[in-house]
Amino acid sequence: MKIYKNICWLTLALLMNILSGCSDIESPTVDSVLPKDILHEVRVSTSSVRMKLGDSLKLDPLMFAVDGTQLDVANIDQITWSSSNSENVTVDSSGLIIGWKVSASPINITVSVKYNLVTKTHRIPVYVTSEQLDITSIKLVALDSQKITSRTFPGVNSLRRYPRVRIDLYQEDSIVQSGLNLPLTVPPGVTLQYIPAERVFYVFRTDGVTGKFNIKLSGNMYGNEVGDSLEFISLYSAYSRHSQVGYKATFFEDVNSPFGLGISIDSSAWYDAIDRSISYIMQPCAIIIFDVYGRELFDFVPLLYNQMFSYPKIDIVFDDSANVSDCNSSNPDMSTYEPEVIGGNVYGWSPFKKVIRKSSTIGEVNWYMRDAETKEPIGISGKYIARELEI
């Protein structure tokens, strides 16, 4: 028994010695990496290539760090080039491309770069033509206004709300080709959509940022780097849907109804489907829309509300209603609206059709709804802010 205790104490002493010895061993640490050393984006020395059959062009990778600085390509860990169709265009390990076959559609050349354990890829389109076109310049053509809003008023064709841009190739003052689909550079928050049938780009902005910005184009045309840019300006919103008011309604099966449906309407309280915590910043004289909640339900079976139900009339009262408004009509499609109210209140509205309101007031505008007969508020209110653009 005594021997057993000595062994236990010896084992414990050895274990303590091992544990204390481990405290002198430093674990490996990972050095902190600065933003200037982290690969964020890889590009190619040109945005697109148009080359003649049999010609070659050397492409170079460009690397940018998180802080925007350009990284030294000599420090690349690994680089890979590839072609989406090697029968038309080949690319070797150095980035040299050769056009072997005419391509009406773009051949994508992709570069993949590994730097400091981070891998990024980028691709550009390459077009191969049978002959070299006599091109002196490439131009971005603005087909509409170069003003854009983050939200615009509804129309019959939603795309027509937005400005269009076209890419043309020129020989001096004459167009050689029109409506090309080439990569364009835009700032964050701006989106471009190319419509092949129209051969144009539509310009969208949804982030609410205002001020000037540029759309840029560059490319290598038969060995020459060409480019162009267009300046646009982002304005405040041109419209806002500020209310969808009505009673909550539900349909149920009704065998006695000629429609096979019945409707249950909760007329105990008015309801507004728009989040009142949102207050959009608008342009002066922007279109403020007051809509109908659940209108599509009544449109589905129109005889139901014509024969069985009608809303009580309500007023919409604005705290700037006494101000003089110099707004002109600016909505291209008035078919779905009541006559617009310019600078005043809305009286006796029965919410089965949208109504719009415009005012030249600068600053915050508050409004509330009330019963048109009793003049008692119905518990629905809101506000919007009109602001001139400062550039």
Side-chain angles (χ1 to χ4, degrees):
M1 197 65 167
K2 185 176 180 181
I3 296 174
Y4 174 74
K5 286 184 179 179
N6 290 337
I7 294 174
C8 288
W9 281 111
L10 178 62
T11 302
L12 181 59
L14 289 172
L15 179 60
M16 292 297 292
N17 186 47
I18 292 172
L19 290 176
S20 62
C22 289
S23 64
D24 296 331
I25 300 175
E26 294 184 4
S27 60
T29 59
V30 179
D31 295 333
S32 59
V33 182
L34 298 176
K36 68 180 183 65
D37 298 319
I38 301 175
L39 178 62
H40 174 67
E41 183 183 19
V42 169
R43 301 179 200 160
V44 178
S45 50
T46 188
S47 298
S48 64
V49 175
R50 187 170 291 261
M51 64 194 309
K52 188 181 71 172
L53 183 66
D55 282 353
S56 62
L57 180 70
K58 177 69 165 59
L59 302 178
D60 295 310
L62 304 173
M63 303 190 305
F64 297 89
V66 171
D67 65 354
T69 58
Q70 190 167 346
L71 297 169
D72 187 356
V73 295
N75 297 325
I76 289 177
D77 298 327
Q78 182 180 346
I79 181 170
T80 304
W81 295 90
S82 62
S83 170
S84 64
N85 189 335
S86 296
E87 290 186 5
N88 292 75
V89 181
T90 58
V91 59
D92 65 14
S93 59
S94 69
L96 180 70
I97 62 172
I98 302 176
W100 295 103
K101 189 176 179 180
V102 174
S103 60
S105 57
I107 308 301
N108 291 318
I109 299 298
T110 302
V111 60
S112 177
V113 171
K114 184 178 181 181
Y115 179 88
N116 275 356
L117 303 179
V118 176
T119 301
K120 295 289 183 178
T121 62
H122 183 69
R123 69 181 185 183
I124 64 168
V126 176
Y127 298 82
V128 181
T129 61
S130 58
E131 300 293 336
Q132 180 170 330
L133 299 178
D134 188 6
I135 297 171
T136 56
S137 64
I138 187 169
K139 293 184 180 180
L140 288 174
V141 182
L143 301 179
D144 306 291
S145 169
Q146 288 168 243
K147 297 179 180 179
I148 187 171
T149 62
S150 58
R151 306 180 77 228
T152 54
F153 46 76
V156 176
N157 183 344
S158 60
L159 282 178
R160 290 299 183 195
R161 311 173 199 173
Y162 303 98
R164 298 168 297 162
V165 171
R166 192 181 67 217
I167 301 176
D168 294 342
L169 297 180
Y170 277 78
Q171 199 284 319
E172 300 301 338
D173 295 328
S174 300
I175 295 180
V176 177
Q177 285 189 1
S178 181
L180 281 71
N181 181 9
L182 296 176
L184 297 174
T185 303
V186 295
V190 177
T191 303
L192 302 175
Q193 181 181 355
Y194 183 76
I195 308 298
E198 301 181 43
R199 300 169 72 179
V200 299
F201 290 88
Y202 281 87
V203 185
F204 305 86
R205 181 147 212 168
T206 57
D207 60 359
V209 175
T210 59
K212 295 179 180 179
F213 68 90
N214 287 292
I215 296 177
K216 298 180 180 179
L217 166 69
S218 64
N220 190 289
M221 298 288 170
Y222 305 106
N224 296 317
E225 195 69 21
V226 295
D228 195 16
S229 67
L230 281 176
E231 184 179 82
F232 280 75
I233 182 169
S234 300
L235 306 174
Y236 290 115
S237 178
Y239 99 103
S240 178
R241 193 178 307 277
H242 261 260
S243 181
Q244 285 184 310
V245 62
Y247 292 155
K248 285 189 175 181
T250 56
F251 286 108
F252 57 89
E253 185 178 356
D254 185 357
V255 295
N256 298 318
S257 168
F259 307 102
L261 293 172
I263 184 171
S264 174
I265 298 173
D266 180 9
S267 60
S268 61
W270 288 90
Y271 175 75
D272 190 354
I274 298 295
D275 184 358
R276 290 274 62 83
S277 65
I278 300 175
S279 180
Y280 291 108
I281 298 178
M282 316 295 299
Q283 301 174 32
C285 294
I287 294 174
I288 309 299
I289 299 177
F290 294 88
D291 206 348
V292 182
Y293 170 71
R295 182 168 57 91
E296 68 279 0
L297 298 179
F298 299 113
D299 288 345
F300 179 64
V301 277
L303 289 180
L304 281 177
Y305 75 75
N306 285 335
Q307 297 179 4
M308 300 172 54
F309 175 76
S310 63
Y311 278 118
K313 295 184 183 300
I314 57 179
D315 299 333
I316 311 175
V317 182
F318 301 84
D319 63 6
D320 72 333
S321 61
N323 295 352
V324 176
S325 175
D326 58 2
C327 301
N328 296 318
S329 178
S330 60
N331 188 24
D333 180 16
M334 296 294 295
S335 61
T336 60
Y337 298 91
E338 297 286 358
E340 59 188 300
V341 178
I342 298 180
N345 295 325
V346 178
Y347 295 107
W349 178 42
S350 182
F352 277 121
K353 202 170 184 180
K354 301 175 186 176
V355 65
I356 66 174
R357 198 254 189 183
K358 295 190 292 183
S359 169
S360 58
T361 300
I362 304 296
E364 184 175 293
V365 177
N366 294 273
W367 56 266
Y368 74 95
M369 293 184 179
R370 69 186 185 190
D371 187 287
E373 292 186 4
T374 66
K375 307 303 179 185
E376 293 293 326
I378 63 173
I380 296 176
S381 62
K383 67 179 180 180
Y384 59 88
I385 298 171
R387 186 176 296 170
E388 294 279 9
L389 183 66
E390 297 179 3
I391 302 176

